[in-house]
Amino acid sequence: MDSISEKHIENGKTQFLMVLILGIITIFLSLFAMGQGSSSNLDMMATLKIILGLDSATELQSDIIWKLRFPRILMAIIGGAALAVAGALMQGCLGNPLVSPLTLGVASGAALGAAFAIVLGVSVLPYSHLAIVANAFLFSLIVVAIIIQLGNLRSISAESYILVGIAITFISGAIVSTMQYFATDAQLSQLAHWSFGSLSRPDLIQVQLISIAVLGLMPTAMKWSWDLNALSVGGDEFAISTGVNPAETRRNILILSALMTSIVIAFTGLIGFVGLAAPHMSRLIIGNDYRKLIPCSAIFGAFLMVFADTLGRTLFAPIVIPVGIMLSIIGGPFFMYLLLSNRGFRR
Amino acid sequence: MTKILEVRDLNFSWGDNHVLKNLNLDVQKNELVSIIGINGAGKSTLLKCLNRILKPDLGKIRMWDKDLSNFDPLNLSKLISYVPQSIRSNFSMDVFDVVLLGRRPHINWRIAEDDREKVSQTLRYLELEDFAFRKFDRLSGGERQQVIIAKAISQDPDLFLFDEPTSDLDLRNQIEIMKKIRKLVENDSSKSALIAIHDINIAARFSDRILLLHEGEILASGAPNEVLTVENIAQVFGVTCDVQLWNGEYIRVIVEDEIKQTK
C-alpha cells in the first residue's frame, strides 16, 4: 500500500481514538453528575449500581436517581447531541460557520408558541406544562414548513435560507415583545424562565420518546456525510461535479436538522450555544470530514451540556442556574479562547 | 475515431443576454480540445451547460450516444468532471480528503483500499505528495487549483471539463499541469478533455484542436495552425499579431504593440 494511504489510515485511527476518549469521559462525567446534587451525593460506583439495578439502594436514593437525575442527564446527553449535530449539519449544508440551530428561526418559532400558551393561554392542548411544549413544537413545525416551501422554490441560495431565518426571528421576536408588553408579572417570569433553557422539565417517559426520535434521525444525518463534505468544502458547483444535487440535498438536510432542533427545544427551551460551539470544537479535533464530524459533534454536544448543567446545579446549590445560561457563560469564553488560539481558524 | 461528446444546437441565455447560439461541437475519444475567446464569450457557460450546472434553454447534449438530459448529478459525475477555476472554502479539510471526494461518485459510504490508493497515486502523479496532509484552505491559490484538478483526476471520468486550469499557476506549473493532462488523455483508453483557456500559446502547444468561440458561436474549429491565424485573432480579440512556427513543432502567437481599434 502507498505510504500516503497508510498515513491517511493512521490519522483516521488517531482521530477515532480521540473521539472514543471523549466519549468515555462523557460517560464518566454523566455518572458523576448523577451522583451529585443537593439532596444526596453518591459516588460513581454507587450510581452505576443503582442504574444497573445491582444494589439494594434505599428507595429514596433510587427515586432521586431514576425520577430526577437520570431523566435530566439523559436529556442533557440527547439534547446536547441533537443540537450539536443539527448545528454541524446546518453549517455544512449552508457553507457558513456562523450558523447555529437557532439561525433558521425554528427556535424563535418555538418561543412564539410558548408565549402564546403562557401569555394568551392559547394552546392546542388544555393549559398545563405540556401545553407550552405542544405549542412550542407546533410553531417550530410551522417554521419547518416554511423551510420546506423555500426549498421547493427553484434555485434558492444558501444565503436566502439564512436571511429568511433571520427575518422569521425578527418577526416572532416582535410579536413576543408585544405580548410581553401586555403580560402580567407572573407570565413574564414564566416566559423568561422558558427562554433560559432548562433540562428539568421532561419526565422519564418524555425523555425516552425524545431519545428514540433523535436516535432515529441520526443515521439519516450520517448518510449525508459525503454530500456535506462536498458542499461545505467546495460550494454548489463543486458539489454538482462531485455528484451531489445541492438544492435537494440542502433542503433535506435543513428539514432534518430543523426537526431535531424542534423536538429538543420544545422541551428544554432556548439552548443555542451548544449547536454553534460543539461542531467547531469538534473540527479542531478531527477536522471537517462529516463521517467523523457528526458522531464527534454529538459526543461533544452531550459533554458540554452535561458539564454545564452539572456546574449549574452544584456551583451555587441549592440555587440552580439554568443550563442555557451556564453554557453561554462558561462555554462562550472557552470557545473564543479555542478559536483565537488555534491557527486553523485564523486567516 | 470514436465520438465521445456530441453537442447540437445548444442555446443558453442569461436573461436577455443570448450567450450561446445554436452551438454545435464534437469531442473525439483521446482528444484534447481547447476553447478560446474573449471574456464573456461563453467559455465557462458552455462548460457549465455540459455538466448541467446550468440548464441549457435548448439543444441536445449526448455522451457515448446517450442523452445527458436524463442524467442525475451522481450518474453524470461518473462520466464527466467539471473543474472550476477556484473554490471558496469556509471549512478546513486535509488535501487528501478533498481529493478523496473524487471517489464519492463511485462509493457507497465506506472508503475501500482502492479508493485510497487512487487518491495517493493521483497526488503523486501531480507531485502533490508533500501537501497530502496539509489544510486545503491554508494553501496558496495555485496549490489549491492543483488540488481540485487532482480531485477531478481521482474521479476517473471519461471527459474532463477544465475551466482555466492554469490561471493561478506559475510558469513551470502551467506547462507541467498541461503536460500531465495531455498524458492522461493520450494514454488512457477513453479519456478526453475540454479546456477553457485564455493563454493562446499554451492552447496551441497542447491541444489537438482549438475552438474559437465568438459571440456565442464557434467561429473556427480545427488544428491550432488552422484556427490561430492572424485574421481570426484580429477579428475575435481585436489585436494584431504575428504567428510563428516554433522549432518546427508548434505555433506561437506574438501580440504586437499596436492594438487595433475594435469596431
Side-chain angles (χ1 to χ4, degrees):
Chain A
M1 206 197 298
D2 197 299
S3 59
I4 304 177
S5 304
E6 278 169 7
K7 178 92 193 302
H8 188 248
I9 294 175
E10 200 67 28
N11 286 355
K13 282 180 185 160
T14 315
Q15 289 163 344
F16 179 76
L17 194 68
M18 284 196 281
V19 177
L20 193 68
I21 291 171
L22 184 65
I24 293 169
I25 293 174
T26 308
I27 293 172
F28 276 108
L29 177 70
S30 306
L31 279 177
F32 171 77
M34 267 184 246
Q36 298 302 305
S38 44
S39 48
S40 156
N41 280 324
L42 295 165
D43 61 32
M44 276 189 249
M45 272 315 288
T47 315
L48 188 63
K49 278 178 182 166
I50 292 175
I51 289 175
L52 296 177
L54 296 175
D55 198 28
S56 52
T58 66
E59 201 172 322
L60 178 68
Q61 280 176 334
S62 172
D63 270 5
I64 287 172
I65 294 290
W66 275 113
K67 292 200 176 133
L68 291 175
R69 292 189 196 151
F70 184 78
R72 187 187 184 112
I73 303 291
L74 186 59
M75 188 63 228
I77 292 171
I78 291 292
L83 291 172
V85 169
L89 295 179
M90 287 181 178
Q91 289 168 359
C93 77
L94 296 171
N96 191 324
L98 308 176
V99 167
S100 83
L102 307 191
T103 310
L104 284 187
V106 177
S108 53
L112 182 60
F116 264 103
I118 294 169
V119 179
L120 301 179
V122 178
S123 168
V124 285
L125 288 179
Y127 191 78
S128 68
H129 165 56
L130 269 183
I132 301 174
V133 172
N135 251 28
F137 188 58
L138 188 79
F139 274 69
S140 53
L141 283 188
I142 293 173
V143 177
V144 177
I146 294 175
I147 296 169
I148 296 175
Q149 284 307 314
L150 279 178
N152 290 338
L153 296 176
R154 280 189 79 197
S155 69
I156 175 156
S157 67
E159 285 74 17
S160 307
Y161 276 112
I162 298 174
L163 288 173
V164 170
I166 292 173
I168 293 174
T169 307
F170 272 109
I171 297 165
S172 337
I175 302 174
V176 172
S177 300
T178 314
M179 282 197 256
Q180 282 173 334
Y181 191 72
F182 295 107
T184 64
D185 285 352
Q187 289 167 339
L188 272 182
S189 109
Q190 203 184 351
L191 197 56
H193 188 76
W194 186 87
S195 65
F196 290 154
S198 161
L199 299 167
S200 59
R201 292 166 203 155
D203 59 28
L204 186 55
I205 295 185
Q206 288 165 7
V207 177
Q208 282 167 341
L209 288 175
I210 298 168
S211 308
I212 290 168
V214 168
L215 293 176
L217 293 173
M218 288 281 184
T220 320
M222 288 296 289
K223 201 188 77 189
W224 283 315
S225 302
W226 285 102
D227 301 23
L228 281 159
N229 285 351
L231 274 170
S232 62
V233 103
D236 284 13
E237 290 182 0
F238 181 78
I240 293 177
S241 68
T242 313
V244 179
N245 182 340
E248 193 186 301
T249 309
R250 182 177 298 125
R251 190 197 59 184
N252 292 344
I253 292 174
L254 287 179
I255 294 171
L256 179 86
S257 32
L259 263 182
M260 286 216 294
T261 310
S262 307
I263 294 169
V264 173
I265 279 189
F267 285 93
T268 63
L270 297 186
I271 300 173
F273 187 70
V274 68
L276 176 74
H280 283 306
M281 291 176 179
S282 303
R283 283 190 185 96
L284 294 177
I285 310 179
I286 49 113
N288 191 53
D289 183 348
Y290 272 80
R291 290 176 312 126
K292 302 162 196 156
L293 183 64
I294 292 173
C296 186
S297 298
I299 294 173
F300 223 127
F303 171 81
L304 285 179
M305 198 87 125
V306 175
F307 186 77
D309 182 55
T310 309
L311 221 52
R313 281 194 301 131
T314 53
L315 207 54
F316 301 109
I319 298 168
V320 175
I321 302 170
V323 66
I325 293 177
M326 215 56 208
L327 261 175
S328 302
I329 286 180
I330 308 284
F334 179 55
F335 182 53
M336 283 201 286
Y337 164 75
L338 276 183
L339 292 191
L340 297 176
S341 65
N342 189 282
R343 269 174 38 111
F345 274 81
R346 264 189 255 151
R347 292 275 158 195
Chain B
M1 278 207 283
T2 321
K3 203 184 283 174
I4 181 167
L5 182 78
E6 181 183 330
V7 178
R8 291 290 172 267
D9 299 321
L10 191 70
N11 280 273
F12 183 85
S13 310
W14 288 111
D16 292 338
N17 183 10
H18 204 159
V19 185
L20 302 176
K21 297 168 193 159
N22 295 320
L23 194 132
N24 294 298
L25 77 92
D26 291 336
V27 176
Q28 310 294 333
K29 215 171 88 173
N30 300 85
E31 197 180 27
L32 195 156
V33 181
S34 292
I35 312 167
I36 59 172
I38 59 165
N39 292 326
K43 301 187 295 292
S44 300
T45 305
L46 172 59
L47 294 187
K48 286 180 188 176
C49 282
L50 297 181
N51 200 38
R52 301 194 68 73
I53 289 171
L54 298 173
K55 276 226 165 72
D57 305 333
L58 268 177
K60 276 243 174 311
I61 302 167
R62 298 174 70 80
M63 189 164 163
W64 295 128
D65 252 345
K66 277 177 277 189
D67 187 353
L68 288 189
S69 57
N70 305 320
F71 275 58
D72 60 11
L74 181 63
N75 287 316
L76 195 64
S77 66
K78 291 174 185 167
L79 291 178
I80 302 181
S81 184
Y82 165 77
V83 186
Q85 260 183 70
S86 62
I87 56 175
R88 57 162 189 95
S89 183
N90 282 327
F91 296 102
S92 196
M93 208 174 201
D94 281 355
V95 165
F96 190 101
D97 290 318
V98 175
V99 179
L100 189 60
L101 280 170
R103 302 306 301 159
R104 189 237 170 229
H106 306 281
I107 60 181
N108 197 353
W109 197 83
R110 253 183 68 86
I111 312 164
E113 198 180 304
D114 288 351
D115 298 310
R116 276 204 187 82
E117 290 295 281
K118 179 81 190 166
V119 173
S120 304
Q121 283 160 16
T122 308
L123 287 168
R124 288 193 194 282
Y125 183 63
L126 294 182
E127 292 164 49
L128 293 171
E129 53 265 54
D130 293 342
F131 292 95
F133 298 102
R134 282 176 57 188
K135 297 282 177 217
F136 177 73
D137 63 329
R138 315 276 310 162
L139 302 180
S140 75
E143 290 161 349
R144 279 209 297 269
Q145 191 164 32
Q146 287 171 279
V147 172
I148 52 178
I149 291 171
K151 177 257 169 192
I153 294 175
S154 85
Q155 198 166 330
D156 205 15
D158 294 341
L159 177 65
F160 292 102
L161 306 173
F162 290 109
D163 197 351
E164 299 280 346
T166 59
S167 60
D168 283 342
L169 302 182
D170 63 40
L171 205 52
R172 178 180 170 274
N173 275 323
Q174 289 180 17
I175 303 293
E176 284 296 319
I177 207 88
M178 289 303 288
K179 271 186 185 166
K180 280 163 185 163
I181 292 174
R182 174 89 231 168
K183 205 169 121 191
L184 215 64
V185 169
E186 273 175 1
N187 292 357
D188 198 293
S189 51
S190 58
K191 287 204 188 333
S192 308
L194 194 55
I195 304 178
I197 193 161
H198 275 301
D199 191 320
I200 290 182
N201 288 321
I202 290 212
R205 178 168 167 186
F206 291 100
S207 311
D208 296 309
R209 199 147 55 85
I210 291 184
L211 303 175
L212 190 54
L213 196 60
H214 187 53
E215 295 179 341
E217 291 165 14
I218 289 174
L219 186 76
S221 160
N225 60 346
E226 295 164 22
V227 173
L228 299 176
T229 59
V230 174
E231 298 76 34
N232 278 346
I233 290 169
Q235 188 188 345
V236 171
F237 297 98
V239 292
T240 51
C241 67
D242 187 23
V243 179
Q244 303 171 341
L245 188 67
W246 179 253
N247 274 351
E249 273 186 64
Y250 44 86
I251 58 163
R252 287 202 314 177
V253 176
I254 295 163
V255 177
E256 289 171 357
D257 283 348
E258 189 190 333
I259 306 288
K260 205 182 83 178
Q261 285 297 309
T262 42
K263 286 172 194 162

